[in-house]
């Protein structure tokens, strides 16, 4: 706490007291608040951001008392003006006419005055700026509470602490005046707690609020150290931001429930109850869980037994659903899918399966893939998936196994929603990849067909994620096909092609880290780019070629050829007439071309490059004789075509 | 140990002390306390209002023939509307839990994001589910829109799941075992409801008849709405409350048809839209009618 004495200037504390903010929005809101504060341009040495579900906190050190003074030249009447005008100008500034000076400007001589502008006090700047920036903090969904047209925020603002040094920064927002009163833990702390910039964090701690997320994280970790908890960083973050004083407790459940699939048990615990699951020494699920309370202790054991009862009821439900669902096999549920709408303009899931099967045919899906397609959506009619929608696919795979389907089919069903994010893994087997691919492609085609393309940030059907999944499976799953051959020739498909191209570019640039100009060049190369394995191969070749000494020069040469051909409006095609070639560099280049034709560019680049250079140094393409000129253009065009199957060199950025 | 009815008494007493009118349940079948005019229509317009009532809420699809210890065709909601919502509304709510004997220093109390939406009513709000030791015991909502209308004054709606809270307090694993009074269990009182309505809703309700009823009520509501004339000098006499009853009938019939498996997912959206159109129509007319009365 010696920081205060080491730094010059004032300490600033802003605490926005809010009713419980959804945990997942908090880190973004804090970052946003920091940026908004920076825009106020109040100098400071350091800045610290903290939050709990009920408070967003910004603390800054080393703020000046006021902005530095500045000077401003005020221009008055012309030197030739009447004395009354000059006196009036002086009076307005509160000075005497003899205090004025004469300024020479391009327009002539004028009276002027150098006015001193006192720097504004930091307190004033903050008092004006804070109520303006706080409502600008971005939240995905906001509300109003003081009445229609009132301030919008994520949840109602209930108190505001704004202190600069020893003073309150006075302002009001949503009817709440700023002050020096914070609020402690909802049950363990006082409703009103007086704080200063220096004792704020300590005072909160006295009232059972741990301000630092890192400290709450450590407290949770420490409280679980005696148990083998399945690591789950996303759940940990959730718990860090839904508590002000987190304390983990361990509970038990009846080992009988372990007969249910682990996926079901873990989903109930994680998604529905926010519990960590526990493993035994062999890494198998143990009949235990860890819940994180927002309170200091469970001295009477009420919280543990309460959570155990809730979990028991949930597991009983799940077991009931599992047993009920087994009464009707997946295959017998296919016809029920006629009544399950995929999207109202697109039709039922049954129709979707039919289209998926047709697409799988084009992709060379085997019998396992086709069987998996038939069964993959049937779990949507099961009670278990109706209750735990996030288990769609997984439940289908588990049921398929219980009903004696082939292992490859079960795995394919289980995995067919994968990859659900860029970090997620691909389906484990080829049938799974085919099912996932045709499912996502069909969703894309169907939605674009009826005009449901994503707009801006709105993407209710997750089409971007679906398209990204398609690209990843094709490339990383090494599925050789032409992407566009899979798309039907119907209206509305043009935008889908563009959409997919955009995702392909995004994937190679942002995910795989290829140079943007290489990606443009590889996609722009002659021939189709829609075999993504081919695009990947071109990119790897380009990356390697970049390391060779002749690459940039040759790329520059190809670019020059391209420019010449474009300027000449050369249509391409035609045969080279060797008789029209001039001896020397032109013939040399032609012969070089003949000798390397059909070889990969890597093998010939060092031989070709000097010939190209010599040609451009010595030969005038734009020859007076039309036939010679045309022949030269044909030579360049042929040469360019030969090597443009790897890249469109005009896209390559050279130094 | 408090009985089911004592918990209700205490909560009513608590909210009565905080200025709420204590209403009795509405006598038309509804799926939730929100649908009752005391909430749906009263939250519209600028006039403050405070009301609390227990509303038996019917959800035909949730019936389990009295077999499932946690799921009910008809459960009891305590609905509290505080319009406008006071600044200490969460503290007041926590006080109500203390009033029924829950010492919040000994329990884990959390507010978890849960925004509420009722598509058939054109209503939505921002709020939380209230978790107590891992159990969802209430829904807390700041209404933003009702009947498709942005609300002038934002009310807080507190909805208590009374069976759950009682089972929690009485430490009962089955709702049927909770003590309604010291002599009668919940099962004694309600088991027959659960069994017989499940049989009706899932097995015996005649689909064509239900559709016919739906259309009759829909037609009556639409006819009345069409007859409402905002320019009529006598418009305050216009029976919008009975019109709204017709909408509630439609909503319950829709839920029954749904539990009977008579509505495909595609149709579902369309029927929801039909009910919503009526609800929005009533809300608009009501707002217009109240403005006149206020003047």
């Amino acid at each position: 706490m010696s920081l205060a004495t080491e730094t010059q200037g004032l300490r600033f504390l802003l605490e926005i007291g809010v009713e419980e903010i959804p945990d997942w929005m908090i880190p973004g809101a804090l970052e946003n608040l920091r940026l908004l504060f920076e825009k106020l341009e109040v100098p400071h040495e350091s800045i610290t951001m903290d939050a709990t579900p009920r408070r967003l906190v910004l603390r800054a050190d080393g703020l000046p008392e006021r902005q530095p003074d500045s000077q401003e030249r005020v221009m008055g009447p012309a030197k030739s003006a009447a004395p009354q005008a000059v006196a009036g100008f002086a009076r307005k500034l509160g000075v005497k006419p003899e205090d004025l000076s004469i300024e020479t400007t391009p327009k002539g001589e004028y009276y002027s005055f150098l006015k001193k502008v006192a720097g504004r006090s930091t307190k004033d700047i903050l008092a004006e700026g804070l109520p303006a920036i706080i409502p600008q903090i971005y939240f995905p969904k906001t509300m109003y509470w003081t009445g229609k047209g009132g301030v919008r925020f994520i949840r109602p603002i209930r108190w505001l602490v704004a202190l600069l040094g020893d003073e309150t920064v006075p302002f009001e927002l949503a009817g709440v005046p700023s002050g020096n009163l914070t609020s402690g833990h909802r049950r363990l702390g006082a409703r009103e707690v007086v704080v200063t910039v220096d004792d704020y964090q300590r005072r909160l701690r006295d009232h059972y609020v741990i301000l630092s997320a890192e400290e709450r994280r450590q407290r949770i970790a420490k409280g679980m150290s005696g148990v083998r908890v399945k690591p789950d960083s996303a759940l940990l973050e959730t718990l860090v931001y839904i508590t002000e004083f987190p304390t983990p407790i361990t509970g038990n459940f009846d080992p009988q429930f372990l007969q249910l699939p682990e996926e079901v048990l873990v989903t109930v615990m994680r998604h529905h109850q926010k519990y960590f699951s526990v493993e035994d020494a062999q890494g198998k699920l143990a009949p235990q869980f860890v819940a994180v309370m927002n309170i200091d202790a469970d001295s009477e054991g009420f919280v543990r037994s309460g959570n155990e009862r809730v979990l028991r009821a949930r597991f009983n439900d799940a077991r009931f659903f599992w047993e009920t669902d087994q009464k009707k096999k997946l295959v017998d549920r296919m016809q029920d899918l006629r009544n399950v709408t995929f999207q109202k303009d697109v039709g039922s899931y049954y129709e979707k399966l039919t289209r998926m099967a047709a697409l799988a045919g084009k992709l060379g899906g085997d019998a396992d893939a086709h069987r998996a397609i038939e069964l993959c959506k049937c779990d949507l009619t099961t009670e278990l998936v109706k209750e735990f929608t996030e288990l769609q696919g997984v439940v289908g795979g588990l049921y398929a196994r219980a009903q004696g389907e082939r292992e490859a089919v079960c795995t394919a069903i289980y995995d067919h929603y994968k990859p659900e994010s860029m970090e997620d893994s691909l389906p484990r087997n080829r049938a799974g990849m085919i099912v996932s691919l045709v499912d996502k492609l069909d969703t894309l085609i169907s939605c674009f067909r009826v005009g449901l393309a994503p707009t801006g940030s709105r993407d209710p059907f997750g089409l971007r994620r679906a398209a990204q999944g398609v690209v990843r499976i094709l490339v990383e799953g090494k599925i050789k096909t032409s992407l566009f051959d899979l798309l039907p020739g119907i209206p509305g498909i043009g935008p889908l092609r563009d959409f997919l191209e955009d995702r392909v570019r995004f994937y190679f640039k942002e995910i795989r880290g290829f140079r943007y100009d290489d990606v443009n060049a590889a996609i722009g190369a002659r021939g189709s780019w829609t075999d993504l394995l081919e695009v990947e191969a071109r990119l790897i070749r380009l990356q390697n070629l970049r390391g060779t000494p002749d690459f940039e020069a040759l790329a520059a040469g190809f670019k020059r050829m391209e420019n010449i051909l474009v300027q000449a409006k050369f249509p391409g095609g035609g045969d080279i007439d060797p008789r029209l070639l001039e001896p020397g560099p032109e013939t040399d280049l032609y012969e070089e071309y003949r000798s390397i034709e059909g070889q990969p560019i890597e093998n010939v680049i060092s031989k070709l490059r000097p010939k190209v250079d010599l040609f451009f140094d010595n030969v005038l393409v734009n020859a007076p004789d039309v036939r010679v000129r045309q022949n030269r253009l044909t030579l360049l065009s042929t040469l360019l075509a030969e090597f443009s199957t790897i890249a469109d060199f005009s896209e390559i950025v050279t130094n | 140990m408090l009985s089911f009815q004592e918990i209700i008494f205490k909560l009513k007493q608590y909210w009565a002390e905080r200025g709420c009118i204590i209403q009795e349940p509405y006598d038309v079948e509804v799926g939730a306390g929100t649908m009752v005019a005391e909430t749906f229509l009263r939250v519209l317009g600028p006039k403050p209002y405070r009301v609390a009532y227990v509303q038996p809420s019917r959800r035909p699809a949730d019936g389990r023939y009295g077999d499932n210890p946690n799921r009910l065709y008809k459960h009891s909601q305590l609905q509290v509307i505080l319009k406008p919502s006071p600044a200490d509304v969460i503290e007041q709510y926590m006080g109500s839990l203390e009033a029924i004997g829950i010492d919040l220093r000994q329990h884990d109390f959390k507010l978890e994001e849960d925004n509420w939406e009722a598509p058939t009513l054109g209503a939505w709000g921002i709020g939380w589910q209230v978790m107590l030791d891992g159990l969802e015991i209430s829904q807390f909502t700041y209404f933003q829109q009702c009947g498709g209308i942005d609300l002038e004054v934002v009310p807080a709606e507190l909805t208590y799941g009374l069976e759950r809270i009682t089972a929690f307090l009485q430490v009962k694993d089955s709702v049927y075992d909770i003590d309604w009074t010291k002599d009668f269990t919940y099962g004694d009182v309600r088991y027959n409801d659960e069994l017989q309505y499940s049989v009706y809703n899932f097995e015996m309700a005649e689909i064509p008849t239900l559709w016919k009823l739906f259309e009759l009520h829909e037609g009556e509501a639409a006819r009345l709405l069409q007859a409402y004339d905002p320019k009529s000098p006598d418009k305050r006499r216009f029976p919008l409350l009975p019109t709204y009853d017709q909408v509630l009938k439609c909503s319950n019939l829709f839920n029954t048809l749904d539990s009977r498996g008579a509505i495909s997912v595609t149709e579902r959206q369309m029927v929801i839209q039909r009910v919503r159109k009526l609800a929005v129509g009533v809300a608009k007319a009501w707002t217009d009618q109240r403005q006149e009365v206020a003047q």
Side-chain angles (χ1 to χ4, degrees):
Chain A
M1 291 296 107
S2 59
L3 218 66
T5 49
E6 282 167 18
T7 46
Q8 300 277 312
L10 300 169
R11 265 191 160 189
F12 171 62
L13 161 67
L14 171 69
E15 179 190 54
I16 308 167
V18 193
E19 291 179 359
E20 278 75 351
I21 308 170
D23 54 273
W24 58 280
M25 299 181 185
I26 294 174
L30 270 189
E31 177 57 15
N32 212 231
L33 172 60
R34 192 181 64 77
L35 293 174
L36 288 162
F37 178 76
E38 301 283 1
K39 280 195 193 155
L40 295 178
E41 295 186 339
V42 173
H44 52 270
E45 283 164 22
S46 64
I47 198 161
T48 322
M49 307 299 302
D50 288 290
T52 75
R54 295 177 66 214
R55 58 202 87 226
L56 300 173
V57 181
L58 182 154
R59 283 179 293 173
D61 273 329
L63 277 70
E65 197 104 26
R66 52 178 58 252
Q67 303 284 81
D69 294 344
S70 59
Q71 289 182 330
E72 185 194 346
R73 183 166 293 283
V74 189
M75 299 303 290
K79 194 183 171 193
S80 54
Q84 294 94 315
V86 179
F89 174 64
R91 197 164 52 243
K92 225 166 52 187
L93 291 164
V95 297
K96 295 190 187 104
E98 50 269 37
D99 296 332
L100 301 176
S101 54
I102 301 288
E103 185 86 353
T104 309
T105 77
K107 288 185 195 162
E109 290 184 313
Y110 287 87
Y111 282 98
S112 80
F113 182 70
L114 203 56
K115 194 173 130 187
K116 282 208 170 64
V117 182
R120 283 186 77 194
S121 80
T122 303
K123 195 170 114 182
D124 287 351
I125 297 174
L126 291 171
E128 189 183 294
L130 294 175
I133 62 167
I134 292 169
Q136 291 179 45
I137 299 174
Y138 172 77
F139 291 101
K141 188 166 193 170
T142 59
M143 63 171 286
Y144 61 95
W145 65 98
T146 58
K148 197 171 162 181
V151 177
R152 299 189 72 93
F153 208 64
I154 180 62
R155 290 289 185 282
I157 296 173
R158 294 304 185 196
W159 75 86
L160 291 160
V161 177
L163 298 172
L164 183 65
D166 300 331
E167 289 183 274
T168 297
V169 177
F171 67 93
E172 198 185 287
L173 184 63
V176 179
S178 62
N180 63 349
L181 289 178
T182 183
S183 192
H185 185 278
R186 275 204 187 279
R187 261 300 158 247
L188 305 174
R191 176 109 187 262
E192 292 188 338
V193 180
V194 176
V195 292
T196 68
V197 285
D198 293 319
D199 71 6
Y200 170 72
Q201 190 159 359
R202 188 164 48 76
R203 294 283 287 156
L204 280 181
R205 185 62 184 72
D206 292 344
H207 289 266
Y208 293 89
V209 175
I210 300 175
L211 181 63
S212 150
E214 180 52 27
E215 236 177 277
R216 294 197 298 276
R217 211 171 280 129
Q218 281 170 13
R219 188 177 155 84
I220 295 173
K222 209 173 137 210
M224 301 193 302
S225 57
V227 203
R228 291 178 66 106
V229 162
K230 277 198 178 193
D232 188 337
S233 56
L235 177 61
L236 179 63
E237 282 313 284
T238 298
L239 293 164
V240 161
Y241 284 108
I242 58 173
T243 53
E244 299 210 289
F245 201 88
T247 309
I249 48 162
T250 306
N252 300 296
F253 61 84
D254 189 337
Q256 272 193 24
F257 287 120
L258 291 172
Q259 290 162 359
L260 283 169
E262 184 170 326
E263 292 87 339
V264 175
L265 299 175
V266 170
T267 298
V268 171
M269 289 192 273
R270 181 184 201 278
H271 294 276
H272 295 258
Q273 295 301 132
K274 299 193 170 75
Y275 300 157
F276 289 99
S277 2
V278 177
E279 296 172 337
D280 64 15
Q282 284 76 47
K284 281 177 62 184
L285 197 66
Q288 278 188 310
F289 64 91
V290 174
V292 175
M293 312 182 291
N294 183 29
I295 200 164
D296 59 333
D298 181 28
S299 47
E300 304 287 327
F302 291 152
V303 183
R304 183 173 55 79
S305 63
N307 278 286
E308 285 176 349
R309 282 173 55 212
V310 176
L311 189 62
R312 185 159 65 236
R314 285 263 182 197
F315 280 172
N316 268 323
D317 274 356
R319 181 158 61 190
F320 173 78
F321 294 143
W322 175 274
E323 283 163 5
T324 311
D325 287 343
Q326 293 309 320
K327 291 178 191 159
K328 189 170 183 179
K329 286 181 144 191
L330 286 180
V331 67
D332 298 327
R333 294 172 183 268
M334 266 182 75
Q335 292 302 321
D336 300 343
L337 292 176
R338 291 184 191 275
N339 292 323
V340 183
T341 311
F342 169 60
Q343 199 283 328
K344 68 177 169 61
D345 298 325
V346 173
S348 71
Y349 271 99
Y350 188 86
E351 294 166 90
K352 187 176 188 10
L353 294 186
T354 315
R355 293 191 304 263
M356 283 165 63
L359 271 175
K362 286 194 194 176
L363 272 164
D366 61 7
D368 286 340
H370 280 277
R371 179 64 172 168
I373 288 172
E374 282 180 1
L375 300 180
C376 71
K377 301 297 179 190
C378 291
D379 67 354
L380 294 175
T381 69
T382 64
E383 296 297 319
L384 202 55
V385 169
K386 283 184 199 163
E387 187 73 8
F388 307 111
T389 44
E390 60 272 52
L391 282 178
Q392 57 183 4
V394 170
V395 166
L398 294 170
Y399 283 174
R401 187 165 299 141
Q403 292 162 14
E405 295 290 334
R406 284 166 53 82
E407 192 53 34
V409 174
C410 303
T411 307
I413 297 171
Y414 189 103
D415 285 350
H416 85 275
Y417 288 95
K418 284 174 163 286
E420 298 199 65
S421 67
M422 268 303 164
E423 297 74 34
D424 195 12
S425 56
L426 297 190
R428 286 164 291 173
N429 64 12
R430 177 147 175 115
M433 286 196 244
I434 299 286
V435 181
S436 173
L437 205 51
V438 297
D439 186 15
K440 291 173 172 61
L441 271 172
D442 175 70
T443 298
L444 287 162
I445 295 167
S446 304
C447 287
F448 271 78
R449 190 205 303 261
V450 298
L452 291 171
T455 51
S457 61
R458 277 188 53 79
D459 185 11
F461 297 94
L463 299 184
R464 281 194 190 88
R465 196 175 55 191
Q468 214 62 79
V470 167
V471 174
R472 270 193 67 198
I473 294 174
L474 286 175
V475 178
E476 294 167 31
K478 307 242 172 284
I479 293 184
K480 188 145 186 74
T481 185
S482 167
L483 181 53
F484 287 174
D485 288 351
L486 299 171
L487 307 181
I490 52 164
I493 285 307
L496 177 55
R497 287 173 177 236
D498 296 345
F499 185 74
L500 285 168
E501 180 175 334
D502 197 50
R503 293 291 99 191
V504 170
R505 287 177 190 276
F506 177 85
Y507 171 77
F508 283 118
K509 275 189 288 201
E510 308 299 330
I511 309 300
R512 298 290 298 275
F514 287 108
R515 287 176 58 120
Y516 77 96
D517 55 334
D518 283 4
V519 173
N520 291 343
I523 286 179
R526 305 249 167 129
S528 156
W529 63 267
T530 71
D531 174 354
L532 300 186
L533 289 176
E534 171 66 30
V535 175
E536 187 193 35
R538 287 175 198 161
L539 280 164
I540 292 169
R541 287 174 66 193
L542 276 174
Q543 204 170 42
N544 292 334
L545 278 170
R546 276 199 181 267
T548 63
D550 299 301
F551 177 75
E552 289 233 337
L554 188 63
F558 282 141
K559 265 167 106 162
R560 197 162 161 190
M561 292 179 204
E562 179 86 35
N563 287 339
I564 291 168
L565 291 166
V566 168
Q567 267 173 21
K569 298 194 175 69
F570 187 74
D575 292 324
I576 303 164
D577 182 350
R579 288 164 306 170
L580 291 171
L581 296 170
E582 214 173 80
E586 188 179 18
T587 306
D588 287 355
L589 182 62
Y590 174 69
E591 278 167 5
E592 185 62 40
Y593 161 67
R594 292 298 306 269
S595 75
I596 63 177
E597 199 180 346
Q599 294 186 53
I601 191 167
E602 287 85 348
N603 300 354
V604 303
I605 185 166
S606 60
K607 285 187 281 175
L608 182 62
R609 183 237 159 145
K611 308 282 186 209
V612 171
D613 287 354
L614 274 173
F615 175 86
F616 279 123
D617 287 347
N618 297 296
V619 181
L620 179 70
V621 179
N622 209 0
D625 182 334
V626 178
R627 288 186 312 148
V628 171
R629 186 164 75 226
Q630 284 303 111
N631 199 47
R632 278 183 191 157
L633 289 170
T634 310
L635 171 64
L636 294 185
S637 159
T638 310
L639 200 57
L640 196 58
E642 174 72 17
F643 295 106
S644 290
T645 52
I646 169 173
D648 171 1
F649 283 93
S650 66
E651 294 284 355
I652 297 286
V653 177
T654 50
N655 295 321
Chain B
M1 189 174 71
L2 294 178
S3 67
F4 183 58
Q5 68 186 29
E6 281 166 338
I7 287 169
I8 294 173
F9 298 153
K10 287 206 184 265
L11 288 171
K12 283 183 171 178
Q13 184 65 35
Y14 180 87
W15 288 111
E17 283 162 10
R18 277 152 191 81
C20 285
I21 296 157
I22 303 300
Q23 271 278 20
E24 297 307 317
Y26 197 52
D27 58 351
V28 174
E29 55 273 43
V30 293
T34 311
M35 303 178 76
V36 174
E38 278 298 296
T39 294
F40 181 74
L41 294 179
R42 292 283 188 175
V43 298
L44 298 168
K47 244 178 117 177
Y49 202 62
R50 285 190 167 206
V51 66
Y53 51 94
V54 173
Q55 186 63 47
S57 302
R58 302 178 186 224
R59 309 224 166 133
D62 286 351
R64 291 290 183 274
Y65 297 86
D67 290 340
N68 185 303
N70 308 308
R71 276 171 207 245
L72 295 169
Y73 154 66
K74 183 163 74 181
H75 72 287
S76 312
Q77 294 184 341
L78 175 75
Q79 170 84 355
V80 180
I81 291 291
L82 304 173
K83 175 194 178 189
S85 75
D88 63 346
V89 56
I90 294 177
E91 285 79 2
Q92 287 197 28
Y93 168 78
M94 292 169 83
S96 74
L97 298 182
E98 304 266 1
I100 51 172
I102 301 172
D103 176 1
L104 290 176
R105 285 164 194 275
Q106 301 288 350
H107 292 278
D108 181 31
F109 175 89
K110 290 193 191 102
L111 296 176
E112 296 185 358
E113 177 191 22
D114 191 12
N115 300 327
W116 169 85
E117 188 179 13
T120 47
L121 298 179
W124 66 273
I126 294 268
W128 307 272
Q129 48 182 349
V130 181
M131 306 297 288
L132 195 64
D133 298 346
L135 178 72
E136 183 194 351
I137 55 164
S138 295
Q139 179 75 34
F140 188 120
T141 307
Y142 289 109
F143 274 22
Q144 302 284 291
Q145 221 182 48
C146 202
I149 297 168
D150 285 342
L151 297 182
E152 283 177 60
V153 175
V154 176
E157 179 200 61
L158 314 174
T159 304
Y160 299 70
L162 291 169
E163 285 85 353
R164 279 197 184 183
I165 291 176
T166 308
F168 176 89
L169 281 171
Q170 297 185 355
V171 196
K172 295 283 164 65
D173 279 341
S174 167
V175 64
Y176 295 100
D177 294 337
I178 66 180
D179 296 326
W180 193 301
T181 68
K182 75 177 170 45
D183 300 321
F184 297 96
T185 65
Y186 191 89
D188 292 335
V189 184
R190 281 279 173 81
Y191 175 78
N192 287 326
D193 295 51
E194 290 301 318
L195 176 60
Q196 296 192 5
Y197 277 98
S198 293
V199 171
Y200 178 75
N201 293 328
F202 293 128
E203 300 169 22
M204 293 185 70
E206 200 191 39
I207 294 171
T209 307
L210 293 182
W211 275 122
K212 208 181 290 172
L213 285 169
F214 181 91
E215 276 153 20
L216 283 173
H217 288 296
E218 183 189 35
E220 181 67 345
R223 181 184 70 83
L224 286 163
L225 277 176
Q226 205 147 38
Y228 178 78
D229 176 9
K231 295 198 184 74
S232 158
D234 248 0
K235 69 179 177 185
R236 72 185 177 86
R237 296 183 69 247
F238 193 88
L240 286 173
L241 290 167
T243 308
Y244 186 58
D245 284 354
Q246 301 298 321
V247 182
L248 293 180
K249 290 279 185 193
C250 287
S251 170
N252 185 60
L253 284 159
F254 161 68
N255 289 337
T256 311
L257 280 162
D258 203 19
S259 71
R260 194 75 179 79
I263 300 179
S264 72
V265 182
T266 329
E267 264 178 318
R268 216 165 175 278
Q269 280 310 314
M270 277 157 46
V271 184
I272 287 176
Q273 283 310 313
R274 279 161 73 179
V275 180
R276 184 192 144 98
K277 197 177 153 204
L278 297 173
V280 166
V282 173
K284 273 206 181 112
W286 176 264
T287 308
D288 175 75
Q289 192 181 48
R290 289 302 96 191
Q291 268 169 1
E292 199 73 8
V293 172
Q295 282 163 13

